[in-house]
Amino acid sequence: MTNDVVARVAMRCLEGYEALIDGWLAEVMRIEPYAGGLVPEAEVREGARLGFGMILRGLADGRMPDELAPHSERMGERRAGQGMPLDSLLAAARLDAKALWHGLVAQARPEDLTDLLNAANLVWEAVEQHNTGLMTGYQRAVLEMGRQREDQRRGWFARLLDNDGRNPDVVRDAARVLGFDSAASFVAVVVPWNGGPVAGATAAGASVAGVSGEEETEDVRDIGAALRAGVRSMAARGVRPHRHESPAGDVVVAQLGPRGADAVAEALAAVPCGISPPVAGLARVPHAVRLATAAARAAASGGGPVRLEERWLDVFAAHNPELAAELAEHVLGPLDTLGAGERERLLETVRAHLSGDGAISSTAAALYCHRNTIQHRFGRLKELTGHDLRVPADAAVVALALRAFS
């Protein structure tokens, strides 16, 4: 919409608006980091000449030129690429309306001032259109740079895993891109909810036993939300994480702080996952990922973290389910020939002994039995299975079989 007064005053500004730009530029170049030379002054001036020129032509013609929006968006993109903070960009943009309005008032005749004031909204709308383009371009560039940085982080982490940490140059560059100290201590976390093996799951493509596909999808969403929350909370615990998504599951590598791996386990308390023991140096992270993957196989749906060094038997039992089932059947299968009462008493004795200090007297005390009763049950177990709990090697086999059986 054309306003005769605004159009006439805008044309006067166009005939010589260098003074308008000079005043605007003097204020902008006092804003950090413009003042520090982040953007050359000549570039700032040229951008203002183009932008103010298009706005003034738009006010004179009654409509903004089609090229204003692309110009504004390109400027926003460039400032984002130059590292200009958003607050500084907005501070400079707020000066546009002030400079433009003062320039128009300076060119207005006394009899034009009232009509110019009544049409002030046209000036603000023109400047707002320019500022909207600035923000659109800036935000688009920030999103794209974020995607590029994430792609770069993902690519370097994949390279670190691919060469197994053997190439010092890759380790050094991966540390730089990921923001890690390559000599620090790390743990790896594997969360197999994204299609990987989770204890209790059926064959590939099937649902978790007793859980519908819709419920399983909800479980996966819950795990994903818990994982994201856990990763965000690590920084407050002195941990620096990097999350890497893969078809087999999510991997989180955490550079440890003063509280060590405990801080990671606390942050992921609601996430079924495997956590490796700490390793020294980024070069050992691929090894840690393999250990965490093994631990993740013992993570129960709905449970919390499995720390490898605390759950060796569970991890070994879960590592090869078919072999574990065969072991359980071979070692404990003979107990099926007993009556339910005797079978349960023997299993109770085995569990109590293996979870205690290995002394028969301690097992007897835990079960409120005489030690001779415990000795008799040990003898009965050996008679049926061929394994004597008083022999360490036999006790280890029975312990592993019991984990597989459970």
Side-chain angles (χ1 to χ4, degrees):
M1 176 179 177
T2 304
N3 179 289
D4 291 340
V5 171
V6 172
R8 187 166 58 248
V9 174
M11 286 299 297
R12 292 192 198 120
C13 278
L14 274 171
E15 292 172 0
Y17 65 104
E18 293 297 335
L20 182 154
I21 294 172
D22 288 342
W24 175 87
L25 187 65
E27 292 194 62
V28 168
M29 296 309 293
R30 287 197 290 267
I31 299 171
E32 289 293 349
Y34 287 98
L38 179 65
V39 184
E41 183 173 334
E43 180 182 328
V44 179
R45 174 183 289 276
E46 182 59 22
R49 290 187 76 258
L50 291 172
F52 280 123
M54 283 186 272
I55 291 173
L56 288 170
R57 284 199 305 273
L59 291 172
D61 296 341
R63 63 180 297 274
M64 288 298 112
D66 292 339
E67 60 267 29
L68 177 60
H71 164 76
S72 303
E73 291 179 18
R74 283 195 301 271
M75 183 178 293
E77 290 174 356
R78 179 158 178 81
R79 294 295 179 263
Q82 291 169 319
M84 178 66 63
L86 180 58
D87 288 347
S88 299
L89 180 67
L90 293 176
R94 282 193 290 270
L95 296 174
D96 294 352
K98 173 185 173 183
L100 186 60
W101 181 252
H102 286 174
L104 291 170
V105 169
Q107 294 294 331
R109 296 169 180 155
E111 62 269 22
D112 294 334
L113 288 176
T114 299
D115 290 337
L116 181 63
L117 183 61
N118 290 335
N121 64 296
L122 298 178
V123 180
W124 310 137
E125 288 171 4
V127 173
E128 183 62 24
Q129 184 174 336
H130 169 61
N131 290 344
T132 297
L134 275 177
M135 287 299 302
T136 298
Y138 187 93
Q139 291 169 346
R140 183 168 57 229
V142 167
L143 288 173
E144 180 58 30
M145 288 188 296
R147 283 193 290 267
Q148 290 176 355
R149 282 193 295 270
E150 186 56 36
D151 287 345
Q152 187 181 36
R153 286 161 62 87
R154 187 180 299 111
W156 277 102
F157 185 71
R159 288 187 67 181
L160 178 70
L161 295 183
D162 287 344
N163 74 68
D164 203 26
R166 292 189 296 268
N167 187 325
D169 293 335
V170 171
V171 174
R172 181 197 63 228
D173 291 339
R176 175 180 54 80
V177 172
L178 297 171
F180 285 149
D181 175 359
S182 62
S185 294
F186 298 86
V187 296
V189 178
V190 171
V191 185
W193 59 269
N194 194 22
V198 177
T202 60
S207 297
V208 175
V211 180
S212 70
E214 182 177 347
E215 290 170 330
E216 184 179 10
T217 301
E218 186 65 35
D219 288 344
V220 167
R221 285 197 293 267
D222 290 345
I223 294 171
L227 174 61
R228 289 190 294 273
V231 171
R232 286 194 300 269
S233 72
M234 286 184 186
R237 293 175 165 86
V239 175
R240 181 176 297 174
H242 167 66
R243 180 183 174 192
H244 182 83
E245 299 179 19
S246 75
D250 280 6
V251 176
V252 177
V253 174
Q255 179 177 312
L256 300 179
R259 296 187 55 228
D262 289 343
V264 175
E266 289 174 7
L268 300 177
V271 181
C273 60
I275 302 180
S276 75
V279 296
L282 191 63
R284 294 286 290 165
V285 161
H287 174 66
V289 170
R290 290 192 293 273
L291 296 180
T293 300
R297 294 189 177 98
S301 179
V306 173
R307 297 174 71 166
L308 182 63
E309 62 268 38
E310 297 174 355
R311 301 273 294 276
W312 284 106
L313 290 178
D314 291 326
V315 171
F316 273 101
H319 189 71
N320 189 325
E322 183 178 5
L323 189 60
E326 182 65 25
L327 175 65
E329 175 62 26
H330 179 77
V331 175
L332 300 177
L335 300 186
D336 291 341
T337 61
L338 303 175
E342 184 181 3
R343 180 174 178 274
E344 184 52 41
R345 281 193 296 274
L346 284 182
L347 288 174
E348 180 186 36
T349 302
V350 170
R351 293 189 185 98
H353 189 70
L354 293 176
S355 63
D357 59 11
I360 293 177
S361 57
S362 299
T363 304
L367 296 176
Y368 303 102
C369 294
H370 194 277
R371 58 180 292 117
N372 289 344
T373 302
I374 302 300
Q375 294 276 24
H376 172 74
R377 291 178 185 174
F378 283 178
R380 183 70 169 136
L381 182 72
K382 180 180 179 182
E383 175 187 333
L384 291 166
T385 68
H387 293 284
D388 189 344
L389 286 184
R390 292 161 292 195
V391 177
D394 283 0
V397 172
V398 173
L400 186 56
L402 191 63
R403 292 303 175 103
F405 171 77
S406 302

